[in-house]
Amino acid sequence: MVVSIVRESMQAPDFSVHLYRDVTEWAWGTPSWVHSVADVGTNAGLLLFAVLFAAGWWRARGLDARAMGLALSAPFAMVAAYLVSEVSKDFLQEERPCRAVAGAVHIASCPPPGDWSFPSNHATIAAGSAAVLVVVWRALAPLVLPLAVLMAFSRVFVGVHYPHDVAAGFCVGVVVAPVVALVLVRPAEPLVDFLRGFPVAAVLLGARPVAAPAGAGFGGAGPVQQPVPAGAAGAAGVTRMDDAAVTMPDVMGGVRGVGGPGGAVGRHHRPGS
């Protein structure tokens, strides 16, 4: 006897359905050029992240092996986050809102049946790319994080995802990608350092940083101070140690009084004593 098991698809929560309607109806009323920008921009942003990955690699050519290891690990970390999202989509099988919501309006074309909705792959890739780029190159944070949020929101704006789809995808991206990058950099760092010893690999990975001379950095012996000539101390505004050694007893002697040998006597003589 053959037993067939029918698994129900995931159903979107009511609050997300209502929010989806509000956003898409508002989006539908915006000018047509906004529709075009949103429809194209939701994919064009992914290309911008690819360019930033390349820029991070180029920058790391002049840095240490760990920085280059992180730059090389970043795209793989983003792919790992995408795979987590894609496997989740196939398992949960939530129908796209542009088909499931009655009377739904959408700017972008509704994906074909079997292209499930939860979580949003676009949001996962955008958030994962942004998060791992911050790990690689922290100065990019003001650019990439708002861009990732905008890209995630655009998937609801064009009508192909529920709000909870993009929220879940964003969380997957910002958690999975940085963790994977920090794991991958452990084997990548010594490998980069080894490969930099070969001229061909050094073209792609950059040369090994030149070590600083001993004693030149913080905590070392420091630069050797040259003695200051006796006649130049006053002109240069510098107090030499031997001048200080001579001056201090003279000053103290003036305070205590001048007396016996070494100026050590500082008694006040009473009349008739």
Side-chain angles (χ1 to χ4, degrees):
M1 182 177 65
V2 178
V3 179
S4 61
I5 300 176
V6 178
R7 181 167 58 85
E8 294 184 358
S9 300
M10 175 181 173
Q11 299 298 315
D14 290 340
F15 78 89
S16 194
V17 174
H18 296 319
L19 189 54
Y20 170 81
R21 285 184 179 276
D22 292 340
V23 172
T24 53
E25 289 174 3
W26 166 70
W28 191 256
T30 57
S32 58
W33 66 267
V34 177
H35 297 182
S36 301
V37 170
D39 194 13
V40 173
T42 189
N43 292 314
L46 301 180
L47 297 178
L48 177 57
F49 280 121
V51 171
L52 292 175
F53 279 133
W57 157 75
W58 184 261
R59 170 180 172 271
R61 291 174 72 252
L63 302 177
D64 58 18
R66 178 176 175 81
M68 176 56 74
L70 282 172
L72 296 177
S73 301
F76 296 98
M78 180 271 294
V79 171
Y82 161 76
L83 292 176
V84 171
S85 175
E86 184 63 25
V87 170
S88 302
K89 287 166 75 80
D90 291 338
F91 179 76
L92 297 171
Q93 298 185 355
E94 179 193 68
E95 187 60 270
R96 293 275 182 168
C98 43
R99 276 191 300 274
V101 176
V105 292
H106 47 92
I107 296 169
S109 300
C110 194
D115 188 345
W116 308 110
S117 190
F118 180 90
S120 167
N121 282 343
H122 275 76
T124 300
I125 294 172
S129 299
V132 79
L133 279 169
V134 172
V135 173
V136 172
W137 192 352
R138 190 171 301 176
L140 290 178
L143 169 64
V144 296
L145 293 178
L147 177 61
V149 172
L150 185 61
M151 287 181 60
F153 173 74
S154 73
R155 302 305 286 166
V156 182
F157 186 89
V158 299
V160 296
H161 276 292
Y162 292 108
H164 73 280
D165 296 340
V166 299
F170 202 94
C171 290
V172 170
V174 297
V175 171
V176 174
V179 171
V180 172
L182 294 175
V183 170
L184 291 179
V185 75
R186 295 176 67 88
E189 181 178 354
L191 179 61
V192 167
D193 189 59
F194 171 74
L195 292 176
R196 277 178 166 177
F198 299 92
V200 176
V203 174
L204 297 175
L205 303 178
R208 290 172 177 164
V210 179
F218 181 79
V224 178
Q225 295 183 350
Q226 298 295 329
V228 181
V238 179
T239 301
R240 296 186 298 124
M241 291 301 295
D242 54 349
D243 291 340
V246 171
T247 305
M248 185 60 68
D250 293 345
V251 173
M252 295 305 296
V255 172
R256 295 175 183 174
V258 179
V265 179
R267 302 181 181 89
H268 298 281
H269 298 278
R270 291 176 301 194
S273 60

